[in-house]
Amino acid sequence: MEQIYLDHNATTPVDPEVAEIMSRYFVKDFGNASSVHNFGRDAKVALENAREQIAEFINCEPAELYFTSGGTESDNIAVLGTTYQYKRRKNHLIVGSTEHHAVFEPAEFLHQKENWELDFLPVDRDGFCTASDLEELISDKTALVSVMHANNETGTIQDIKTLAQIANSHKVLFHTDAVQSIGKIRVDVKELGVDMLSLNAHKIYGPKGIGALFIRQGVKIAPLFYGGSHEKKRRPGTENVAGAVGLARALEIASQRMEQDHKKLSELADYFIDKVDSAIADVAFNGSREKRIPQTVNLSFVGIEGESILLSLDLEGIACSSGSACTSGSTEPSHVMTAMGKPKIEAQGAIRFSLGRSTTVKQLDYVVEKLIPTIERLRSLSPVYEKG
Ligand SMILES: *Cc1c(COP(=O)(O)O)cnc(C)c1O
């Protein structure tokens, strides 16, 4: 059976070119980048070259870029690391209501355990935050605003520039999680006007376990780890040289292919959406059709649970994702769908198909061919679905 992978927002295969360049730093140039001898120096050069390359890509200084173990860690440093600095003067943070758990949960931790006040910036039906809502929530008690650049479930691209400007005018720090946008659309920290930005490698054909956090010069941050002077003491731990090299190369390839990939994925996604829409009744598109990362196609099949669709498609060799979390037999719709105000009957049936470089029209045709009977069967069993 052919295996069709439509879960590129969860992770991507490593580009063979990236894997090859990395292997050198596992086997041959294996030195510890903090050692002063020749082995260490070679590793250090590779690490700093990677840093320079990534910094240039997002338009910051190399000194403003810190390597981490990935998106989750970058987000945690941004949320926890900055707020620790403000403990005495400020006690309020604002995060987008469709953020990734890597931002949500440290914010919840501060709220539950450290007495921080926490507000969620609402979104409209397409997943966009508004400037006026942010203006309303922000105050001189606010230490940080964190709103993601592109959403992982819907691909919706926020107007970060406008939101960051508001935070800026109130002298409040602004962080954005750019894990889903980096390498897919232009990400320029100066143009966006952000103080911090998270990115990683494994959503863009790089390795898992490496990421980076841009921290604008002058922003104070308390480290989460102690135990060495790596990354200027902000993120101690022996540097992941192979990972950093892999991240830089993955970004370089992504930037070279950006226009071409964007065009191809937009066309494939449009083809897929239209085909599903004409073959199956009661399908809702989730997110913004225009302002999104085109590879992300989030569809709700009204009246059935996303989990059931996911499992049925898996049996046909098709890998996709549902944002919902299954807890003790009942499915809770994802917080993203709930925040977007989707009615439960729609939110529960949300499925994310995320396309990638290997996706073909033939694969998408096969998916639709399998979806038609799957949806029909599941709806015939559904107690809530009523044919319109
Ligand atoms: C995947 C993802 C993360 C987590 O990144 P890891 O490198 O897997 O820790 C954070 N934010 C977003 C938006 C993501 O899609």
Side-chain angles (χ1 to χ4, degrees):
M1 185 169 57
E2 194 192 352
Q3 297 287 322
I4 297 177
Y5 187 76
L6 292 178
D7 203 10
H8 291 85
N9 284 19
T11 197
T12 53
V14 175
D15 185 306
E17 250 187 78
V18 172
E20 191 187 328
I21 198 166
M22 286 177 70
S23 74
R24 177 174 152 190
Y25 297 94
F26 289 124
V27 182
K28 189 170 152 279
D29 293 335
F30 61 88
N32 183 325
S34 299
S35 302
V36 291
H37 49 59
N38 203 22
F39 293 85
R41 283 197 305 274
D42 283 349
K44 181 82 178 165
V45 167
L47 183 75
E48 295 313 318
N49 282 343
R51 196 189 311 274
E52 265 170 45
Q53 232 183 313
I54 301 161
E56 193 184 321
F57 188 75
I58 63 167
N59 193 20
C60 72
E61 293 301 319
E64 295 175 309
L65 197 73
Y66 298 82
F67 287 114
T68 67
S69 67
T72 303
E73 189 188 334
S74 295
D75 285 347
N76 271 264
I77 297 175
V79 175
L80 300 173
T82 48
T83 48
Y84 278 166
Q85 292 290 338
Y86 288 107
K87 242 174 172 170
R88 278 187 212 94
R89 286 187 291 128
K90 300 194 176 199
N91 66 348
H92 177 230
L93 55 148
I94 301 170
V95 304
S97 52
T98 62
E99 293 305 297
H100 191 272
H101 288 286
V103 165
F104 240 62
E105 291 186 20
E108 277 290 352
F109 164 79
L110 289 173
H111 177 56
Q112 309 276 347
K113 309 277 183 196
E114 307 272 319
N115 291 321
W116 280 74
E117 281 172 34
L118 172 61
D119 275 309
F120 295 103
L121 193 58
V123 294
D124 65 15
R125 271 190 77 85
D126 290 345
F128 294 110
C129 301
T130 68
S132 54
D133 283 331
L134 182 56
E135 281 284 9
E136 211 160 288
L137 291 174
I138 209 163
S139 78
D140 57 3
K141 285 287 170 199
T142 311
L144 176 74
V145 178
S146 182
V147 180
M148 70 205 309
H149 195 194
N151 184 268
N152 45 303
E153 287 187 28
T154 61
T156 294
I157 302 167
Q158 295 289 355
D159 182 1
I160 292 301
K161 190 176 174 176
T162 301
L163 299 172
Q165 253 166 13
I166 294 168
N168 220 303
S169 69
H170 289 263
K171 298 197 163 45
V172 171
L173 289 177
F174 192 95
H175 165 253
T176 193
D177 174 338
V179 167
Q180 290 290 347
S181 58
I182 193 89
K184 297 171 190 160
I185 55 171
R186 217 171 111 87
V187 173
D188 177 322
V189 295
K190 294 208 173 67
E191 196 179 293
L192 294 172
V194 296
D195 298 299
M196 286 173 288
L197 180 141
S198 303
L199 59 98
N200 73 0
H202 78 92
K203 312 273 170 78
I204 47 163
Y205 306 88
K208 294 165 187 62
I210 183 81
L213 177 64
F214 155 74
I215 308 175
R216 194 176 50 74
Q217 201 112 49
V219 171
K220 291 206 177 81
I221 195 158
L224 305 186
F225 300 168
Y226 297 87
S229 56
H230 318 83
E231 303 296 298
K232 292 180 282 185
K233 286 198 163 177
R234 285 179 155 182
R235 203 288 187 173
T238 303
E239 298 91 340
N240 179 355
V241 178
V245 169
L247 168 57
R249 185 71 186 118
L251 263 179
E252 192 184 5
I253 296 171
S255 74
Q256 285 159 357
R257 302 179 50 123
M258 197 178 285
E259 258 175 61
Q260 158 199 350
D261 279 358
H262 197 276
K263 183 166 180 288
K264 180 193 144 177
L265 291 166
S266 301
E267 285 167 4
L268 283 174
D270 283 343
Y271 174 80
F272 182 61
I273 296 164
D274 293 342
K275 190 151 180 166
V276 171
D277 209 33
S278 61
I280 303 171
D282 299 319
V283 181
F285 180 85
N286 297 315
S288 163
R289 189 84 193 249
E290 294 77 34
K291 283 183 78 179
R292 76 177 208 286
I293 302 292
Q295 72 181 41
T296 314
V297 177
N298 193 312
L299 301 172
S300 279
F301 297 89
V302 178
I304 15 181
E305 294 194 343
E307 286 299 298
S308 328
I309 306 170
L310 191 77
L311 296 174
S312 302
L313 291 181
D314 184 38
L315 294 175
E316 307 285 357
I318 300 162
C320 52
S321 147
S322 82
S324 47
C326 202
T327 38
S328 57
S330 80
T331 325
E332 279 306 307
S334 92
H335 70 281
V336 176
M337 294 300 135
T338 307
M340 285 160 65
K342 295 276 166 181
K344 201 166 177 185
I345 191 162
E346 257 180 64
Q348 277 183 329
I351 285 279
R352 179 187 72 189
F353 302 93
S354 45
L355 287 48
R357 288 180 194 158
S358 61
T359 308
T360 61
V361 168
K362 193 166 152 272
Q363 288 183 342
L364 297 175
D365 285 341
Y366 177 81
V367 175
V368 178
E369 187 190 305
K370 296 296 171 191
L371 259 176
I372 297 169
T374 301
I375 301 298
E376 196 175 282
R377 179 175 55 81
L378 293 171
R379 277 185 178 160
S380 73
L381 303 170
S382 164
V384 289
Y385 182 66
E386 282 168 40
K387 212 165 179 171

